[in-house]
Amino acid sequence: MFKPSEGVPTKWKVAFFTGCIMDAMFEKINRLSMELLAAAGCEVYVIKEQTCCGALHAHTGRMDEARNLAKQNIMAFESLDVDFIVNNAGGCGAALVEYDHLLKGDPEWEERAAAFAKKNRDISQLLAQCELPFKHPIEAVITYQRSCHMTNVQKVVSEPLALIKSVPGAAYKEMENPHMCCGSAGIYNMVNYEESMEILDAKMIDSKKTQATIIVTTNPGCLLQMQLGIRREGLSGTVRAVHVVELLAESMGL
């Protein structure tokens, strides 16, 4: 458990959803997420009984497996008396907030799924309500690659932008077509690789026009895709892609 920093009153009790790709490939971002939540006044709990959100199973039509994973997560998190279940991955969050739709019509699970979905929040939704203790300015032009899942399913739009713009020293520059997908799109970049690279190339043209040296994302698929785009454009060393959690943590000295 992560506790609020000394002298910081407890604002919320939250359970942290670790995710699969985030836990396997971006463990540092998960750790920083929990540290940020604690710095913002949260008691943060992590339970080993949680499992995959089921998003990728649903994307491939394996709906029975997606429903079974949803039920495992509902059972696991029901054991905790928390205000929110917090995730830091747009794709995972989109799956979690739709468990009520996934299990609709199931007399045993529908109501429990609705209660679970209601508690889910993207980490930006909580952090945007807090005054973060920034210590170091980040003198850079920053642009934001929106997660389609987070924007269109979770309807989380303003909070990540507010957090980016709150970082001291940061100059925010919007892309001309900010709502265009980066080409990751769950498993799209694996099953439709060539098409996804065409989308990524178009996204990188838009990104380069901003002259940003930092591209902020809120989803592991977007993050991996934008990191690939930077390499494809020969911009490694001058441009970096980071999760919004990494940006905030850097400015807070975590």
Side-chain angles (χ1 to χ4, degrees):
M1 183 181 76
F2 286 75
K3 292 185 177 182
S5 305
E6 186 175 350
V8 177
T10 299
K11 193 175 183 72
W12 298 296
K13 291 184 179 180
V14 304
F16 185 72
F17 186 83
T18 57
C20 300
I21 295 176
M22 291 303 298
D23 196 39
M25 299 186 65
F26 299 111
E27 187 277 334
K28 179 183 177 182
I29 298 176
N30 273 357
R31 177 178 54 79
L32 289 173
S33 295
M34 290 182 273
E35 291 182 6
L36 278 175
L37 288 166
C42 295
E43 284 186 8
V44 186
Y45 298 85
V46 183
I47 52 173
K48 63 181 180 179
E49 293 83 4
Q50 63 181 292
T51 188
C52 174
C53 68
L56 298 185
H57 300 75
H59 293 332
T60 54
R62 294 156 61 183
M63 301 307 296
D64 285 342
E65 293 177 56
R67 291 186 187 98
N68 286 334
L69 291 168
K71 291 173 185 178
Q72 290 181 53
N73 279 321
I74 292 167
M75 282 192 294
F77 285 98
E78 280 178 339
S79 66
L80 291 177
D81 180 19
V82 294
D83 299 304
F84 303 110
I85 301 165
V86 181
N87 74 86
N88 60 8
C92 289
L96 298 172
V97 300
E98 291 207 321
Y99 275 5
D100 53 339
H101 295 287
L102 186 64
L103 296 170
K104 190 174 181 61
D106 188 316
E108 181 183 354
W109 291 96
E110 183 175 2
E111 188 174 326
R112 294 164 71 181
F116 175 92
K118 188 176 180 180
K119 279 191 173 184
N120 272 273
R121 298 289 188 279
D122 182 79
I123 189 171
S124 66
Q125 293 178 281
L126 267 62
L127 295 180
Q129 299 181 54
C130 303
E131 188 170 336
L132 301 178
F134 294 117
K135 296 179 180 178
H136 309 293
I138 298 179
E139 305 288 347
V141 176
I142 298 175
T143 195
Y144 173 42
Q145 164 52 35
R146 290 163 169 77
S147 159
C148 298
H149 285 101
M150 196 165 85
T151 299
N152 299 316
V153 181
Q154 296 188 74
K155 310 299 183 185
V156 178
V157 177
S158 61
E159 293 90 343
L161 275 174
L163 289 169
I164 293 168
K165 292 177 181 179
S166 71
V167 173
Y172 179 74
K173 185 69 181 290
E174 186 88 284
M175 295 188 202
E176 288 182 1
N177 190 8
H179 297 289
M180 178 183 172
C181 179
C182 68
S184 175
I187 60 170
Y188 182 82
N189 60 348
M190 291 184 279
V191 298
N192 297 284
Y193 176 76
E194 295 299 333
E195 292 88 344
S196 77
M197 290 301 102
E198 292 177 9
I199 295 170
L200 176 58
D201 289 343
K203 173 58 70 172
M204 291 308 299
I205 290 172
D206 201 358
S207 177
K208 286 192 293 184
K209 288 179 181 178
T210 68
Q211 298 185 317
T213 56
I214 302 176
I215 304 171
V216 174
T217 74
T218 52
N219 183 57
C222 298
L223 182 54
L224 290 169
Q225 190 84 336
M226 298 310 292
Q227 288 174 342
L228 174 60
I230 289 169
R231 293 196 296 272
R232 283 168 63 90
E233 294 294 326
L235 297 173
S236 300
T238 57
V239 178
R240 57 188 174 123
V242 302
H243 193 286
V244 67
V245 162
E246 294 178 289
L247 179 75
L248 298 174
E250 181 179 340
S251 187
M252 289 168 61
L254 297 179

